[in-house]
Amino acid sequence: MTRYLISKFFYMLLSLFILISATFFLMKAIPGNPFMSEKATSPEIQARLMEQYGLDKPVYVQYFKYLGDIASGDFGISMKKLNQSVTDIIGQTFTVSLKLGFVAIIVSIIVGILLGMLAALYHRRLIDNVAMVLAIMGIAVPSFVLASLIQFFFAQQLGWFNVMGFEGPMDYFLPVAALSASPIAFIARLTRSSMLEVLHADYIKTAKAKGLKSITIMFKHVIRNAILPVVTYVGPMTANIITGSVVIERIFGIGGIGKVFVDSITTRDYTMIMGVTIFYGILLMVARFITDIAYGFIDPRIKLTGGKEG
């Protein structure tokens, strides 16, 4: 287990280094500079701003300085928000995004597993057909389209919820529904197919022949083994929810990190774009790392030694 964790951690650091490098050089490849859009900014003032932010130095000097700053947890100073560090802005806005994302992840897992279990237990019946139709719709409709539709219908037409904002518990409903629809669909399909396979396995038949109660078989054998594909999907699901919240936060006017990211692209705030991109990357890598570790605890048959499953 120790060797496996060290190996995974090393590859996570390598991936992070590649992400930082790619983000930095892609930003440098964009024509112009972040101060070109400023009104009535003379070339002399632009030159002074470039010097202030160190953009007048050679690219390789900027690159190594940026690596050093990232290693110390400093994402730099925003080029559009006066005297505000990117780290502070991320810290202030991520709390809102974390609340939204956490609720969406919990809802996705619980609702998805329940739908999948019902579909498997009532295979080829009405519940199964309805659940799979909902799953197909959840996969087919993009989150931003669904967000606009439910915003128009439930908020503007029916007036049940606020059109925009994120102030009370009821304001969670629409953005969480838009974010979790696709993950719920995937989890439901994974749970259904996995449970159908487990239910017809020989060891389940043996457990029934021994006279074990149905509830014992369900929780001790069926769910535990059928849940593994869902655990595999948790990492990518977290990525989908985190990156998808960028658009959802913009649609619902939520003042989270997603809104800040979109605004930074509009205003060409390079340090903010790079900081948020790297921050997102770290979150996704950590989520994947935790998912890989969870495998060994959920299924004791999986042995994590030397970075390989045996």
Side-chain angles (χ1 to χ4, degrees):
M1 173 66 83
T2 303
R3 292 178 60 189
Y4 175 80
L5 293 179
I6 293 174
S7 173
K8 281 290 182 181
F9 186 72
F10 170 76
Y11 283 114
M12 186 174 68
L13 291 180
L14 179 61
S15 300
L16 182 59
F17 171 75
I18 294 173
L19 174 65
I20 293 172
S21 301
T23 304
F24 178 86
F25 288 110
L26 284 173
M27 286 294 101
K28 294 301 176 184
I30 297 177
N33 65 70
F35 310 112
M36 292 179 62
S37 60
E38 299 292 341
K39 296 181 179 179
T41 303
S42 64
E44 291 79 11
I45 295 178
Q46 287 196 29
R48 291 181 62 180
L49 288 171
M50 296 285 284
E51 181 181 357
Q52 178 181 345
Y53 288 97
L55 300 178
D56 59 330
K57 294 180 174 60
V59 174
Y60 71 90
V61 175
Q62 298 180 46
Y63 173 65
F64 286 112
K65 182 181 183 303
Y66 192 68
L67 286 180
D69 292 340
I70 293 296
S72 62
D74 182 12
F75 289 110
I77 303 297
S78 171
M79 296 181 177
K80 297 296 180 180
K81 297 185 178 182
L82 186 62
N83 297 326
Q84 293 191 46
S85 71
V86 174
T87 305
D88 290 341
I89 295 173
I90 291 175
Q92 294 167 6
T93 57
F94 181 62
T95 304
V96 177
S97 299
L98 181 62
K99 292 177 182 178
L100 177 62
F102 179 76
V103 174
I105 290 171
I106 297 301
V107 169
S108 299
I109 294 174
I110 293 175
V111 177
I113 290 176
L114 288 177
L115 276 179
M117 289 177 60
L118 288 173
L121 293 174
Y122 296 93
H123 184 46
R124 294 181 180 177
R125 299 183 188 177
L126 179 61
I127 295 178
D128 182 23
N129 294 332
V130 171
M132 288 304 98
V133 168
L134 292 175
I136 293 173
M137 291 176 61
I139 295 172
V141 181
S143 61
F144 64 90
V145 175
L146 179 61
S148 301
L149 290 175
I150 62 178
Q151 185 184 52
F152 173 77
F153 184 73
F154 290 103
Q156 188 170 345
Q157 295 296 317
L158 297 179
W160 291 356
F161 306 95
N162 295 325
V163 177
M164 302 182 74
F166 198 66
E167 299 176 0
M170 294 299 292
D171 292 332
Y172 279 85
F173 187 87
L174 296 184
V176 166
L179 272 177
S180 60
S182 180
I184 286 173
F186 274 105
I187 290 175
R189 290 174 64 88
L190 285 173
T191 304
R192 175 182 178 272
S193 60
S194 183
M195 279 195 65
L196 288 175
E197 182 179 348
V198 172
L199 285 170
H200 292 87
D202 291 337
Y203 63 87
I204 299 298
K205 297 177 182 177
T206 303
K208 291 180 179 178
K210 289 182 178 180
L212 291 179
K213 295 181 180 179
S214 299
I215 187 106
T216 303
I217 295 174
M218 180 62 62
F219 284 95
K220 189 174 180 179
H221 298 288
V222 177
I223 295 179
R224 184 172 183 177
N225 289 283
I227 209 73
L228 280 175
V230 177
V231 175
T232 307
Y233 179 66
V234 167
M237 179 193 72
T238 303
N240 291 336
I241 289 178
I242 291 175
T243 55
S245 67
V246 173
V247 178
I248 300 302
E249 287 179 20
R250 187 68 176 179
I251 292 174
F252 289 99
I254 300 172
I257 194 173
K259 184 177 182 297
V260 171
F261 185 58
V262 174
D263 292 341
S264 65
I265 294 174
T266 305
T267 58
R268 296 170 68 114
D269 191 343
Y270 291 173
T271 51
M272 182 63 69
I273 295 172
M274 291 190 292
V276 175
T277 301
I278 295 168
F279 180 73
Y280 273 141
I282 293 173
L283 288 179
L284 303 185
M285 292 174 193
V286 170
R288 181 66 191 212
F289 183 70
I290 294 173
T291 301
D292 291 338
I293 295 174
Y295 256 86
F297 293 98
I298 293 176
D299 191 347
R301 296 173 301 176
I302 299 176
K303 302 297 181 183
L304 305 178
T305 56
K308 295 182 180 180
E309 296 180 3

